[in-house]
Amino acid sequence: MPQQTVTGRAPATAPGEQGWSGRLAAWWGIDSGWERVPADPARAYRNDLWLGVAFVVVSVVGTELARSIGYFEDEPAPPWVLYLLSAAGAAPLVWRRRYPLVVLSVVYAHFLVVGLTVPMVTMLAPLQVVYFVALFSAVAWARDRQAMVVVVGAALFVMFGWLAWQFAVGAGIDGIVEQMGLADERPGLVDPGVAVTAYNLLVNFAYFYGAVVAGQLMWHGARRREQLEDQAATIERQTAELQRQAVVTERLRIARELHDVVAHHVSVIGIQAAAARRMLAGDPAAAAAPLATIEGESREAVTQMRGLLGTLRGIEDGGRDAVRDGGVGGAGRAPEPGLADVTGLADTTGGLDVEVRVVAEPGAVDGVPGPVGLSLYRTAQEALSNVRKHSTARRASVVVRVDRRPARRDDPDAHRFPHGFAEVEVLDDGRPRPGSAGTGLGLVGVRERVATHGGLADVGPRATGGYRVRVRLPLPEDRP
């Protein structure tokens, strides 16, 4: 039967007691408060149904085979009674995970009753397996661990008591030794009577102890799996919460900058525009001053807006490059780079030998829209930065491609590029440098840019060695 994964309905807690009693309680899970239930109860109970039916069939068939070889020749009971008793012993396994302690009690009561009336039935191998499975299931699936300890302890006490009673009241040790033909001889080092007693105790101890230990180990394994799943879910929730808090914090910061910087310029523009409108009617020459102020303030507002956008796009270092390059409050910020500026990255790689190739028709690179060109530029910049920081490569190549032709119809991604594409590909031949793992935020930013434009990204190691970062973005329709 396939093993079902499990979940619980209460967290596990460590026992409060110390010493051997505390360790014993922890082993049995008495104070854990955790209940083991199947992850998919319908499927688990359906499997138990088929398991019980299979044991019933095997038990009945085994009974007939044993009867056919003379196993029951001294039993006066008719065959149909033997079949019924065998089936009755195996049938309760249908509910082994739904009612594990009840099943154990019923199965072992069957063992005692049938063992006292038709003992040869209980000695059949299929029913011996049934008794083992019932004890194992009770330990592995009992929800009330205190009740499990009581029921299992009582069952073991009765079983070993029944075994002792069989030796004392039944044929006895001497009778068993005589039946084995060992009354007058001693084949081994141990007396035959002592050997028979010790052997039966050893077999029964291994039988019952194996079932109990296997069931308890299964229960502990299920609880550990759930604890690991709970920890993973907690980590995932905390990560999502931290990401949400980071986004909220960044939005609040940008809102403050918009209010303190950009709103100021817009307010000045509104005031100066009103003054210029009034002056134009009476003294047009005097309106030149407020109009000049409007011109300066508008340019400054545009510069500040670019700084804020640069802060938003600066994923690699958390937006600090926008402030450093003249973002918020800086009037000297250069225009945003485009696809044509990728060739300049070869001069800013800090010792890395970079070859840049452009595969495009003349003027095609300059015709790439600014947002697309900026995304591709940032992609190449991030990829080369990763090569320099995290790879042993000494050389890298950057290929810029611009193709205005529509994608071929047989291309599975033709719907993404109906008007052509612009692409940047960065290749290196190095290996990951030990101990230089980054945060991964740069590549996350690359994928976010690709998703924004509806493009494709191929990021990962190459089969021939090295690493590849290739990003292809769709171009808009080329209108005159």
Side-chain angles (χ1 to χ4, degrees), residues 184-210:
D184 299 324
E185 59 179 307
R186 185 172 180 173
L189 300 176
V190 183
D191 181 81
V194 177
V196 168
T197 304
Y199 180 81
N200 279 275
L201 290 175
L202 180 63
V203 170
N204 283 274
F205 180 82
Y207 180 89
F208 292 109
Y209 180 81

Side-chain angles (χ1 to χ4, degrees), residues 142-217:
R143 296 170 179 81
D144 188 343
R145 305 309 290 178
Q146 293 181 352
M148 183 273 296
V149 171
V150 173
V151 174
V152 171
L156 295 180
F157 178 81
V158 172
M159 289 299 101
F160 281 95
W162 181 85
L163 180 64
W165 182 84
Q166 285 290 96
F167 281 126
V169 180
I173 299 299
D174 294 335
I176 297 175
V177 171
E178 290 181 4
Q179 292 177 4
M180 298 174 63
L182 300 175
D184 299 324
E185 59 179 307
R186 185 172 180 173
L189 300 176
V190 183
D191 181 81
V194 177
V196 168
T197 304
Y199 180 81
N200 279 275
L201 290 175
L202 180 63
V203 170
N204 283 274
F205 180 82
Y207 180 89
F208 292 109
Y209 180 81
V212 171
V213 171
Q216 192 62 26
L217 291 176

Side-chain angles (χ1 to χ4, degrees), residues 61 66 72 91 159 399:
V61 172
F72 296 102
M159 289 299 101
V399 180

